[in-house]
């Protein structure tokens, strides 16, 4: 049972019978870009100026859960986020693009036993929807919460309406109108978002799976939450300013990204972490360089973020190979990619240089107790410790708020009734 239940009063149908409410609940993952999306080509269709690529993360700890309900008893569309109703949000362009876009692809709902039509396509059009969603991780802190949220919204609506695509990737085209990177969260594993632009309606701006979550199952992610506060400059506002003022961003989109997409897609298919890690870090650096090149400049990373960059490079220098690769989205939080064989060593480094207040609180500091135990017992190589002591300092307690240890995972999952966010009270 979820602890995020929202109780909503619903009037009886015809004044004396319980209303029919159609329901669906899904969870959707976040994704962390390796090749970054930054800048819109068309703000109306919410399309990008360049391709991008990400890894969809496992939903064990980081996910959005969304319940979508439809009924003739509902008098208007309504939306709840993290327990609170968002007044007016149901009329926003992004919300409407998702709801109306999926509803247009609705199919008849058939009784599995009698084979009778329960809801016709026209019936769906007459119903209002209630949507409730919550995240299991900080919202708007640079962990792609909007990607998970809008992916969950679209996936829940697809399940609710029994929607069918009229062309491959159509659901991702709808999701990106809610939040651009949401299109990548509709698939598991490594996912590319093709910029499109050949078609006037941008229907070719869709996500495609490059490799599923089982292809390179050894990849791990250690996420350092440097701040769980809402960022000062939203991604939407930041992109708009960057497109208008950064010459570096325009050069990046035209000359750099296509080459990096080829490199990273080949690295993923070949399971080449050296190439994957290098291009991931270079693209993160260039993304934040475009933010600095924006006028006025945008600062998403902070001193703690930069100290993590330095730690990773010193670690890789000592190893003589790329064992860890950092990437930062529009926020100060670090996502460190590594392989399973190095993840305990990397976590041990993180716990040493970004300490928890006490071992008693370690269960709240790191999400994976088994990995914490192994990392605390892991003895770092003396040569590594000496190499790091020359240029890396142990940070203050609290500089990193929490650490998530995770891996790649699948796309949206349909959940059973016990996970439903709504609790309808008929009055």
């Amino acid at each position: 049972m979820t602890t995020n239940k929202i109780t909503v009063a619903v009037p009886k149908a015809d004044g004396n019978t319980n209303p029919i409410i159609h329901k669906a609940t899904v969870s959707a993952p976040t994704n962390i870009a390796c090749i970054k999306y930054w800048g819109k080509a068309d703000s109306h269709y919410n399309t990008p100026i360049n391709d991008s690529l990400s890894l969809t993360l496992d939903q064990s700890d980081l996910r959005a859960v969304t319940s979508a309900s439809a009924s003739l008893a509902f008098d208007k569309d309504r939306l709840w986020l993290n327990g609170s109703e968002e007044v007016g949000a149901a009329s926003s362009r992004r919300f409407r693009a998702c709801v109306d876009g999926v509803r247009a692809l609705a199919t008849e709902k058939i009784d599995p036993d009698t084979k009778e039509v329960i809801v016709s396509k026209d019936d769906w059009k007459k119903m209002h929807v209630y949507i409730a969603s919550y995240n299991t991780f900080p919202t708007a802190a640079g962990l792609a919460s909007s990607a998970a949220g809008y992916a969950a919204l679209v996936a829940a609506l697809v399940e609710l309406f029994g929607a069918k695509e009229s062309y491959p990737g159509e659901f991702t085209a709808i999701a990106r109108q809610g939040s651009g990177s949401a299109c990548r969260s509709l698939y598991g594993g490594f996912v590319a978002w093709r910029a499109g632009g050949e078609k006037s309606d941008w229907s070719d701006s869709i996500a495609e799976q490059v490799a599923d979550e089982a292809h390179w199952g050894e990849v791990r992610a250690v996420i350092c939450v440097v701040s769980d506060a809402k960022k000062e400059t939203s991604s939407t506002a930041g992109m708009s300013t960057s497109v208008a003022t950064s010459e570096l961003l325009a050069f990046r989109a035209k000359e750099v990204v296509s080459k990096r997409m080829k490199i990273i897609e080949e690295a993923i298919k070949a399971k080449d972490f050296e190439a994957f890690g290098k291009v991931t870090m270079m693209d993160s650096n260039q993304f934040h360089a475009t933010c600095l090149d924006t006028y006025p400049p945008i600062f998403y990373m902070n001193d703690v973020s930069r100290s993590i960059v330095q730690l990773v490079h010193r670690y890789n220098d000592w190893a003589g190979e790329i064992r860890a690769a950092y990437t930062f989205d529009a926020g100060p939080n670090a996502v460190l990619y590594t392989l399973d064989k190095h993840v305990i060593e990397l976590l041990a480094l993180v716990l040493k240089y970004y300490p928890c207040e006490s071992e008693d609180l370690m269960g709240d500091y790191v999400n994976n107790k088994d990995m914490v135990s192994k990392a605390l017992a892991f003895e770092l190589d003396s040569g590594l410790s000496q190499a790091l002591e020359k240029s890396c300092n142990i940070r203050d307690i609290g500089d990193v708020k929490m650490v998530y240890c995770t891996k790649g995972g699948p796309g949206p999952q349909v959940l059973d009734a016990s996970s439903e966010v709504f609790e309808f009270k008929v009055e």
Side-chain angles (χ1 to χ4, degrees):
M1 293 287 290
T2 178
T3 58
N4 293 272
K5 289 284 188 183
I6 296 172
T7 302
V8 180
V10 181
K12 287 187 176 182
D14 301 323
N16 55 14
T17 58
N18 288 340
I20 298 174
I21 302 175
H22 305 279
K23 309 171 185 177
T25 299
V26 305
S27 65
T30 185
N31 70 77
I32 301 297
C34 304
I35 304 298
K36 303 298 187 184
Y37 150 53
W38 194 251
K40 300 181 191 299
D42 188 298
S43 59
H44 176 74
Y45 289 102
N46 208 30
T47 53
I49 60 174
N50 60 262
D51 291 358
S52 58
L53 184 142
S54 62
L55 175 62
T56 297
L57 298 183
D58 184 72
Q59 296 183 46
S60 298
D61 293 285
L62 302 169
R63 64 177 184 166
V65 176
T66 297
S67 287
S69 300
S71 177
L72 293 172
F74 299 163
D75 62 350
K76 62 180 179 179
D77 293 344
R78 298 171 70 183
L79 172 66
W80 290 260
L81 296 178
N82 296 312
S84 300
E85 183 168 9
E86 299 287 307
V87 179
S91 61
S92 73
R93 180 172 60 84
R94 293 185 176 199
F95 180 88
R96 290 259 56 92
C98 293
V99 174
D100 298 340
V102 177
R103 196 196 324 250
L105 302 174
T107 61
E108 294 177 335
K109 187 173 183 179
I110 308 294
D111 187 299
D113 298 320
T114 67
K115 306 303 179 183
E116 293 181 2
V117 176
I118 301 172
V119 184
S120 70
K121 294 180 182 180
D122 287 337
D123 288 339
W124 286 125
K125 297 175 184 178
K126 300 172 186 175
M127 298 181 193
H128 286 289
V129 295
Y130 284 5
I131 308 292
S133 184
Y134 66 89
N135 293 327
T136 62
F137 54 98
T139 298
L143 283 178
S145 59
S146 64
Y150 276 102
L153 171 62
V154 169
L157 291 167
V158 167
E159 185 69 16
L160 176 67
F161 294 136
K164 301 295 182 185
E165 292 181 324
S166 63
Y167 63 88
E170 187 170 11
F171 293 149
T172 72
I174 293 171
R176 61 122 163 103
Q177 294 179 65
S179 173
S181 53
C183 68
R184 299 191 305 248
S185 279
L186 285 180
Y187 300 129
F190 293 94
V191 184
W193 176 12
R194 309 301 181 188
E198 295 297 320
K199 297 185 177 181
S200 60
D201 64 352
W202 291 91
S203 58
D204 55 346
S205 183
I206 57 175
E208 296 177 347
Q209 188 179 63
V210 173
D212 67 21
E213 62 273 17
H215 168 72
W216 200 3
E218 299 86 354
V219 174
R220 297 290 182 268
V222 176
I223 303 174
C224 300
V225 180
V226 174
S227 173
D228 55 6
K230 190 172 183 178
K231 54 200 176 195
E232 291 182 12
T233 305
S234 71
S235 295
T236 300
M239 285 187 204
S240 177
T241 308
S242 292
V243 168
T245 63
S246 174
E247 294 181 8
L248 176 59
L249 181 65
F251 175 81
R252 163 184 162 74
K254 183 179 179 181
E255 303 291 341
V256 179
V257 172
S258 61
K259 299 173 186 176
R260 289 183 175 171
M261 286 291 291
K262 183 178 180 181
I263 291 169
I264 202 165
E265 289 187 49
E266 290 177 351
I268 290 165
K269 291 172 183 175
K271 302 180 184 179
D272 181 350
F273 192 81
E274 186 80 16
F276 170 82
K278 182 178 180 181
V279 74
T280 293
M281 289 187 284
M282 289 179 68
D283 207 69
S284 177
N285 294 340
Q286 189 178 71
F287 158 54
H288 288 277
T290 64
C291 292
L292 289 175
D293 189 52
T294 299
Y295 188 83
I298 305 168
F299 305 100
Y300 286 122
M301 295 172 66
N302 59 23
D303 286 344
V304 179
S305 309
R306 288 184 283 273
S307 73
I308 295 173
V309 169
Q310 187 175 40
L311 180 70
V312 168
H313 280 293
R314 296 296 175 268
Y315 172 46
N316 290 338
D317 288 346
W318 167 81
E321 63 179 353
I322 294 177
R323 290 190 179 179
Y326 57 78
T327 188
F328 295 80
D329 277 349
N333 302 320
V335 177
L336 309 180
Y337 287 122
T338 188
L339 295 175
D340 182 56
K341 61 184 177 181
H342 300 309
V343 69
I344 299 301
E345 181 177 60
L346 178 60
L347 180 58
L349 272 179
V350 169
L351 294 180
K352 176 179 178 179
Y353 282 89
Y354 303 91
C356 179
E357 187 175 346
S358 72
E359 284 197 23
D360 293 338
L361 299 175
M362 195 65 75
D364 295 325
Y365 187 56
V366 184
N367 68 316
N368 190 309
K369 293 181 180 179
D370 179 58
M371 290 184 65
V372 166
S373 298
K374 292 178 180 178
L376 291 175
F378 187 88
E379 186 174 344
L380 291 168
D381 184 279
S382 59
L384 172 59
S385 296
Q386 290 174 7
L388 294 177
E389 285 172 2
K390 296 177 182 179
S391 55
C392 300
N393 297 317
I394 294 175
R395 303 289 303 196
D396 293 337
I397 291 169
D399 277 0
V400 169
K401 308 294 186 294
M402 187 173 179
V403 178
Y404 289 99
C405 298
T406 187
K407 59 185 178 180
Q413 304 292 298
V414 178
L415 305 180
D416 60 28
S418 67
S419 299
E420 189 178 340
V421 185
F422 285 120
E423 187 170 340
F424 293 109
K425 184 178 181 181
V426 180
E427 296 181 341

